[in-house]
């Protein structure tokens, strides 16, 4: 189902679509660094436990990219849906073609799958929207797709306040030194292209404590339970990001 497009909402989505034409490495196309390959493998277990998936569930991932999280999660549920830019969905389909997983090309919320979902995952996506108004609209439209008792996990939200608290700790200072050493390798052609494609993007990029509390509070006022949850520090950005779990009573 396609609704009228809203200008501005598509900026990073469109850029990700361009990136898929030059970057076919699934880790980097999903916005992670090469040095995070092992840490990425821990994300599925983390979101799986927060979503509390059941074999009867209908699961949707909005911004599923090449399906690194959704493909394994599809084996836990009755029916899985993943949506993203057509160029990315084309790559995802070649990675995993199975009737248990339905790929949907399109930009949310203009494009939406039919029906309600028991579980919805939005991992590492909201920071790519342009402003809080677009984020609230995205959130409201995702909540409207939830079944009664359903869960929406908005995970991997970069939080500048959390980052500052970590970076000023002894553990944070040691991590920074190690990160700089590990990530100082040569740039590839695809790395350079990736920087060019995202140069000047209109993205909110990070949140702070107040903004994350405000999103949780807005959900509660709207009649949902909402919880801010920590990430496992061993996740790719586990020291500086956190999750918002929203439950429809
Ligand atoms: C950083 S990647 C995260 C991918 C995946 N969720 C993961 O964690 O591995 C963000 C993805 O969200 C997609 N995206 C951004 N805005 C979107 C929107 N409005 N509708 C659908 N996909 C969107 C991008 O195309 C990109 O593939």
């Amino acid at each position: 189902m396609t609704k009228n497009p809203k200008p501005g909402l598509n900026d990073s989505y469109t850029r990700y679509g361009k990136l898929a034409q030059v970057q076919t490495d699934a880790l980097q196309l999903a916005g992670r660094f090469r040095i995070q390959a092992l840490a990425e493998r821990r994300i599925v277990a983390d979101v799986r436990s927060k979503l509390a998936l059941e074999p009867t569930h209908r699961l949707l991932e909005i911004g599923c990219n090449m399906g690194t999280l959704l493909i394994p999660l599809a084996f836990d549920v009755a029916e899985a849906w993943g949506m993203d830019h057509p160029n990315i969905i084309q790559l995802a389909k070649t990675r995993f073609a199975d009737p248990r997983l339905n790929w949907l090309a399109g930009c949310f919320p203009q494009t939406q799958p039919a029906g309600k979902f028991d579980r919805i995952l939005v991992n590492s996506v909201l920071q790519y929207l342009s402003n809080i108004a677009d984020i609230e609209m995205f959130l409201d439209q995702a909540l409207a797709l939830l079944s009664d008792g359903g869960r929406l996990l908005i995970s991997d939200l970069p939080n500048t306040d959390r980052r500052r608290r970590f970076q000023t700790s002894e553990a944070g200072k040691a991590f920074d030194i190690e990160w700089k050493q590990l990530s100082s390798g040569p740039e590839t052609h695809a790395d350079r292209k990736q920087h060019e494609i995202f140069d000047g993007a209109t993205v909110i990029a990070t949140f702070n404590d107040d903004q994350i509390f405000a999103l949780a509070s807005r959900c509660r006022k709207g009649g949902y339970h909402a919880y801010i949850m920590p990430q496992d520090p061993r996740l790719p950005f586990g020291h500086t990001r956190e999750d918002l779990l929203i439950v429809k009573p």
Side-chain angles (χ1 to χ4, degrees):
M1 181 168 77
T2 302
K3 298 179 175 173
N4 290 333
K6 178 177 178 293
L9 195 59
N10 298 5
D11 185 34
S12 67
Y13 167 88
T14 308
R15 290 173 196 250
Y16 262 106
K18 280 192 194 144
L19 182 61
Q21 293 172 326
V22 292
Q23 177 62 273
T24 51
D25 176 76
L27 175 82
Q28 289 180 266
L29 184 56
R32 300 185 186 102
F33 298 94
R34 281 189 292 277
I35 57 168
Q36 294 175 317
L38 292 181
E40 184 187 60
R41 294 190 194 170
R42 301 193 181 102
I43 305 175
V44 170
D46 194 73
V47 299
R48 176 183 274 135
S49 69
K50 287 167 179 161
L51 284 168
L53 296 174
E54 288 291 333
T56 53
H57 281 163
R58 228 178 152 229
L59 167 71
L60 166 67
E61 185 181 2
I62 304 171
C64 62
N65 204 262
M66 280 177 66
T68 298
L69 311 182
L70 187 59
I71 294 168
L73 294 176
F75 287 85
D76 292 5
V77 295
E79 188 184 327
W81 286 75
M83 61 178 299
D84 212 305
H85 190 282
N87 293 352
I88 298 180
I89 292 297
Q90 200 183 333
L91 295 173
K93 277 184 178 167
T94 63
R95 210 176 180 206
F96 187 74
D98 185 290
R100 74 181 69 223
L101 206 169
N102 302 277
W103 299 109
L104 177 61
C107 185
F108 188 83
Q110 295 96 313
T111 301
Q112 297 191 16
K116 300 269 184 188
F117 290 85
D118 304 291
R119 298 292 186 261
I120 303 176
L121 174 63
V122 182
N123 188 76
S124 214
V125 174
L126 285 203
Q127 60 266 38
Y128 292 101
L129 302 187
S130 309
N131 53 57
I132 291 288
D134 283 354
I135 286 167
E136 288 178 351
M137 204 257 282
F138 186 110
L139 203 56
D140 290 346
Q141 295 280 329
L143 287 170
L145 290 179
L146 266 191
S147 310
D148 289 348
R151 290 184 179 207
L152 165 63
L153 182 64
I154 306 281
S155 39
D156 215 31
L157 295 172
N159 180 342
T160 47
D161 289 323
R162 179 164 157 76
R163 171 187 236 143
R164 180 182 38 75
R165 288 190 291 273
F166 176 64
Q167 283 181 330
T168 51
S169 70
E170 288 311 311
K173 286 176 198 161
F175 178 90
D176 262 6
I177 293 169
E178 194 188 354
W179 176 266
K180 279 182 190 126
Q181 282 165 355
L182 288 173
S183 57
S184 61
E187 258 200 340
T188 63
H189 170 72
D191 293 340
R192 275 192 295 281
K193 275 288 187 199
Q194 186 149 352
H195 291 142
E196 274 170 37
I197 287 170
F198 280 93
D199 190 35
T202 51
V203 296
I204 191 157
T206 56
F207 299 86
N208 58 32
D209 283 340
D210 289 344
Q211 287 168 323
I212 292 178
F213 283 132
L215 287 176
S217 166
R218 188 170 184 279
C219 294
R220 288 188 178 193
K221 284 183 183 138
Y224 299 86
H225 303 306
Y227 310 93
I228 297 165
M229 301 191 76
Q231 283 197 353
D232 181 338
R234 297 170 309 149
L235 261 51
F237 300 101
H239 291 293
T240 55
R241 298 192 180 180
E242 55 201 352
D243 304 342
L244 182 60
L245 176 66
I246 306 159
V247 180
K248 184 172 181 183

